[in-house]
Amino acid sequence: MRITRVLGAALLTLGIAAGPAAADSSPSPSASADGDAPTSAGTSFRTATEFEQGQQATASGSTGDYLYWSFPADAGQRPTVEATVKLPETHAAQTWQVDVYDGLRRRQACQYGAQSRTAAAGATSVELACVLRTVRAWSEPWANDPLPGTYYVRLTAVGLTTADLGQPVDATVEVNSKDIGGAAAVDGSLAKPLVPGIAMKSEASSEDDSSTSAVLSSIEPEDGWAGGWWSDRWVWTAVGGVLAALAGVGGYSLTRGTGRPSRVPPGA
């Protein structure tokens, strides 16, 4: 009996001690669990809610709030951000706007799409869209080209009247990308994707300091970052080489003639 009590007390102590460790290993509130689409949004870049491309992220908020989400985009992709806001039953005319920022928090221009739209008084919803430029694997430091990494979506209403501030709204955001392929390939690539905390992680690895921690983005493309080193540009280059070789052989066969001229004089 005494041995049983001792073992029971030891197991209870281990269970209590293991409790905080299990709590520390719990996922971040901003990350979706088990691949489910998130149902909330952040209020800043640091608290942006992560979601994968193809997922439909939803959130409830109030007019006047800034709603933030983040998603990964790799080289060769051309993301399209679509947002829908369900407005309250009664409201004045209000303008909603969706902005997209890259991993360096640089605002990225939209190629086309209704990035900003005004909802008339009494409208039930408003739909926004932003088609970004193709993400490049590498770019000049002075350029503002989209680069692989985390992208932030900010949704908010601008030019609100005082009566409309604080009214409840429901927002839905979805991102899908078109793979452009070798047409957007460049000679070069980033050493690391532009994701939150990557600089801290690299510094900790170089100094071999296990005490340094970094909060990295927990989402990435399905085939990993920079997994698109292979592109159809290699295929077209090979096909072009084969066609050039065939054209050379064909041209030679047409211009070489029938062989050496005969030495027998004509009429002999």
Side-chain angles (χ1 to χ4, degrees):
M1 291 296 293
R2 183 176 298 176
I3 295 176
T4 304
R5 292 177 182 175
V6 173
L7 290 176
L11 291 176
L12 181 61
T13 304
L14 289 175
I16 296 175
D24 293 341
S25 62
S26 59
S28 171
S30 62
S32 58
D34 300 330
D36 296 334
T39 56
S40 62
T43 56
S44 65
F45 288 103
R46 294 178 62 87
T47 61
T49 300
E50 299 175 346
F51 71 102
E52 295 281 359
Q53 292 193 32
Q55 289 184 331
Q56 194 174 68
T58 58
S60 298
S62 303
T63 52
D65 292 344
Y66 286 93
L67 305 179
Y68 286 83
W69 294 269
S70 64
F71 66 93
D74 207 356
Q77 294 182 341
R78 188 173 65 189
T80 299
V81 180
E82 298 177 336
T84 302
V85 183
K86 294 183 179 179
L87 303 174
E89 295 182 358
T90 58
H91 62 84
Q94 52 188 240
T95 301
W96 283 83
Q97 181 172 317
V98 59
D99 298 303
V100 184
Y101 299 82
D102 63 6
L104 298 177
R105 299 184 185 180
R106 302 176 302 180
R107 185 177 180 274
Q108 293 295 324
C110 302
Q111 280 189 316
Y112 52 87
Q115 181 182 4
S116 178
R117 178 170 288 180
T118 301
T124 58
S125 64
V126 59
E127 297 182 355
L128 307 170
C130 175
V131 180
L132 297 175
R133 294 174 295 166
T134 304
V135 179
R136 297 166 60 90
W138 179 85
S139 177
E140 294 288 349
W142 47 262
N144 194 37
D145 296 326
L147 295 171
T150 299
Y151 281 76
Y152 298 92
V153 179
R154 186 180 71 181
L155 179 65
T156 188
V158 296
L160 291 172
T161 61
T162 305
D164 285 341
L165 288 173
Q167 293 194 28
V169 293
D170 294 325
T172 302
V173 174
E174 186 175 0
V175 178
N176 294 286
S177 290
K178 180 180 179 181
D179 190 6
I180 303 303
V186 295
D187 296 330
S189 62
L190 296 179
K192 298 290 183 180
L194 301 178
V195 299
I198 192 65
M200 293 176 59
K201 183 178 180 182
S202 300
E203 182 179 357
S205 300
S206 61
E207 296 178 357
D208 194 20
D209 185 5
S210 59
S211 62
T212 303
S213 60
V215 180
L216 290 176
S217 178
S218 60
I219 53 177
E220 63 180 19
E222 294 181 357
D223 55 352
W225 290 111
W229 67 270
W230 168 263
S231 67
D232 55 2
R233 185 174 66 167
W234 296 97
V235 177
W236 289 111
T237 302
V239 172
V242 172
L243 292 178
L246 294 177
V249 173
Y252 173 75
S253 62
L254 291 175
T255 58
R256 69 172 182 173
T258 57
R260 298 178 63 182
S262 175
R263 293 185 178 182
V264 179

